[in-house]
């Protein structure tokens, strides 16, 4: 079947509820065929698949300590740091244990620091197992790090040339942009930055280096620590996030370590650094390559089309409802998706209050609030005396229109 069509088959949609018959992956779009929502909106058990995806992302990088290869198939798996906290809760007769499991936590040895980090995140974004925060993390893993942005086998019908280009692109961003944030106290980061500068300035002599270190330390103390994102001061005892590719002189509040495009928390602190900005994987790739609005994959072909301010593979500029190719055809945009004229009339067209038929997208109509009429002498009429109201003043009442107060009174009585 390809493209992981069996995974999550039949899973209920958390957004559409009973309106969706169950998850069924479209044969080339990354959405459900039944309700048009993404897989991340369905109750699909994806933890193993997501761990494989992140494991592949970290393969052949400096972050191989965060992955482990399974003996049976050699596939790299992401070693998520799961944190379990136990809190004694006094009861009437004895003490019970309240256990809280975080599906992901910063991989630091100091659990108190990791706990502080979690408490500084918005409550609804803390990945506690079974909570809204765990669901948020799952959605962001799918949105920020699409498997089809790094693995050609997850893409639809790439040519050998496109596969090669994609592999080179992935290798480049792994070498130049990919990183994982680290959680430390501001003082620890300052020490690390000072050590790095000391190595770089090793030929300046001991007294000069010591003087520079002391001067820099004094400046930092005087100005305190501040967040690179919100510019507000940071407390010395609070955990801070730093990104190695950005340099050790930059710090972030845990809740400020976000993508500069979508402003979402960078899932598991996985970031991409470019031109002084943090990006999630999706928006870093968008800044480098065009993305097809049809299949959601990056475009590596020289030939593609642009329409409605978006990019499309030539074969994927299709009707969102029936998948017919729209090149040279009349289409209507519905919720930023192109729909062919027959599907629009059948599924989306406004209904005329006069004749109760669908209104063709190419004909003129009259709209008032949520009510619509054909702009014709046969349809836009006084609901009482049938006088044509085109170009005339009218009085609307719950889907009816009147030419005068008299007609309104007569009809309402």
């Amino acid at each position: 079947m390809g493209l992981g069509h069996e995974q999550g088959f039949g899973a209920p949609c958390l957004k559409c509820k009973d309106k969706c018959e169950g998850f069924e992956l479209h044969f080339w779009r990354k959405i459900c065929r039944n309700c048009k929502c993404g897989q991340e909106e369905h109750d699909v058990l994806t933890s193993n698949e997501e761990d494989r995806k992140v494991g592949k992302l970290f393969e052949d990088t400096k972050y191989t300590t965060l992955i482990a290869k399974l003996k049976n198939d050699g596939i790299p798996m992401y070693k998520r740091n799961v944190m379990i906290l136990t809190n004694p809760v006094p009861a009437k007769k004895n003490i019970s244990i309240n256990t809280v499991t975080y599906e992901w936590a910063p991989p630091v040895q100091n659990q108190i620091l990791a706990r502080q980090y979690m408490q500084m995140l918005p409550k609804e974004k803390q990945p506690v197992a079974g909570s809204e925060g765990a669901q948020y993390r799952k959605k962001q893993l799918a949105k920020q790090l699409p498997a089809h942005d790094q693995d050609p086998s997850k893409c639809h019908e790439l040519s050998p040339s496109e596969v090669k280009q994609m592999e080179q692109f992935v290798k480049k961003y792994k070498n130049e942009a990919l990183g994982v944030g680290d959680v430390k106290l501001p003082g620890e980061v300052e020490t690390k930055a000072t050590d790095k500068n000391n190595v770089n300035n090793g030929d300046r002599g001991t007294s000069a280096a010591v003087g520079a270190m002391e001067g820099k330390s004094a400046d930092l103390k005087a100005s305190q620590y501040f967040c690179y994102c919100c510019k507000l001061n940071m407390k010395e005892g609070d955990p801070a996030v730093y990104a190695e590719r950005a340099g050790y002189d930059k710090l972030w509040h845990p809740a400020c370590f976000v993508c500069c495009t979508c402003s979402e928390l960078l899932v598991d602190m996985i970031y991409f650094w470019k031109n002084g900005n943090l990006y999630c994987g999706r928006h870093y790739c968008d800044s480098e390559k065009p993305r097809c609005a049809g299949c959601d994959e990056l475009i590596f072909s020289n030939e593609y089309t642009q329409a409605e301010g978006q990019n499309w593979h030539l074969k994927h500029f299709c009707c969102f409802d029936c998948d017919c190719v729209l090149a040279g055809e009349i289409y209507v945009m519905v919720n930023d998706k192109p729909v062919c004229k027959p599907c629009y009339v059948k599924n989306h067209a406004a209904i005329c209050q006069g004749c109760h038929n669908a209104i063709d997208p190419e004909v003129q109509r009259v709209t008032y609030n949520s009510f619509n009429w054909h702009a014709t002498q046969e349809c836009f009429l006084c609901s009482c005396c049938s006088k044509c109201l085109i170009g005339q003043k009218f009085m609307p009442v719950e889907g009816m229109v009147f030419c005068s107060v008299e007609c309104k009174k007569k009809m309402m009585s």
Side-chain angles (χ1 to χ4, degrees), residues 127-410:
V128 176
S131 72
E132 179 187 359
Q135 191 65 28
Y136 171 79
R137 176 181 173 270
K138 175 185 165 185
K139 283 187 180 181
Q140 294 309 313
L141 273 170
K143 289 180 180 178
Q144 295 184 22
L145 302 170
H148 49 271
D149 277 8
Q150 59 155 316
D151 186 352
S153 71
K154 302 294 184 182
C155 297
H156 182 69
E157 296 180 350
L158 293 184
S159 68
S161 171
E162 288 171 321
V163 169
K164 188 174 181 180
Q165 286 183 65
M166 183 173 185
E167 288 172 345
Q168 290 172 342
F169 174 69
V170 172
K171 184 178 180 180
K172 185 173 182 287
Y173 74 56
K174 283 186 177 184
N175 289 335
E176 298 178 5
L178 174 65
V180 180
D182 199 2
V183 177
K184 293 187 179 296
L185 296 172
E188 293 178 305
V189 179
E190 178 198 335
T191 303
K192 197 162 186 176
T194 304
D195 291 344
K196 192 171 181 180
N197 287 332
N198 193 24
V199 171
N200 292 339
N201 298 326
D203 58 346
R204 291 169 54 189
T206 306
S207 59
V210 169
M213 286 161 55
E214 288 175 349
K216 185 168 183 179
S217 179
D219 290 342
L220 280 168
K221 292 291 183 186
S223 63
Q224 296 184 299
Y225 306 100
F226 69 91
C227 174
Y228 185 72
C229 176
C230 70
K231 310 304 179 189
L232 297 177
N233 288 339
M234 303 183 75
K235 297 176 184 176
E236 254 187 279
D238 285 346
V241 184
Y242 80 90
E244 186 178 9
R245 290 194 186 274
Y248 294 103
D249 58 327
K250 298 178 182 65
L251 301 172
W252 285 264
H253 291 113
C256 291
F257 200 63
V258 299
C259 171
C260 69
T261 301
C262 63
S263 299
E264 296 290 355
L265 277 179
L266 290 164
V267 65
D268 294 11
M269 298 193 299
I270 299 169
Y271 70 87
F272 291 73
W273 182 255
K274 179 182 175 182
N275 297 334
N277 289 307
L278 291 170
Y279 289 86
C280 67
R282 169 179 292 275
H283 291 114
Y284 171 80
C285 290
D286 285 352
S287 75
E288 294 283 316
K289 296 286 181 184
R291 185 182 296 277
C292 177
C295 68
D296 196 48
E297 294 173 15
L298 299 173
I299 299 175
F300 291 94
S301 170
N302 291 328
E303 292 185 351
Y304 62 96
T305 189
Q306 291 182 315
E308 305 297 333
Q310 300 180 92
N311 303 299
W312 312 77
H313 287 114
L314 296 177
K315 60 187 177 183
H316 289 161
F317 187 53
C318 302
C319 172
F320 193 62
D321 286 6
C322 72
D323 292 324
C324 72
V325 178
L326 293 174
E329 301 293 331
I330 295 170
Y331 64 89
V332 183
M333 294 300 288
V334 178
N335 298 324
D336 293 328
K337 305 294 184 184
V339 176
C340 69
K341 184 177 172 180
C343 282
Y344 177 82
V345 171
K346 179 183 175 183
N347 304 323
H348 308 283
I351 303 299
C352 175
Q353 290 292 113
C355 67
H356 304 293
N357 292 321
I359 301 176
D360 189 289
E362 293 184 277
V363 305
Q364 287 188 316
R365 64 177 170 176
V366 178
T367 300
Y368 186 85
N369 288 340
S370 59
F371 302 108
N372 300 272
W373 295 263
H374 285 106
T376 64
Q377 294 180 350
E378 295 77 26
C379 291
F380 194 51
L381 309 171
C382 173
S383 299
C384 180
C385 69
S386 299
K387 176 185 174 182
C388 178
L389 296 176
I390 295 174
Q392 306 295 317
K393 290 183 178 181
F394 63 91
M395 302 177 67
V397 179
E398 297 178 359
M400 295 185 289
V401 285
F402 302 100
C403 63
S404 64
V405 174
E406 288 75 17
C407 277
K408 177 187 172 185
K409 285 181 178 179
K410 192 182 294 184

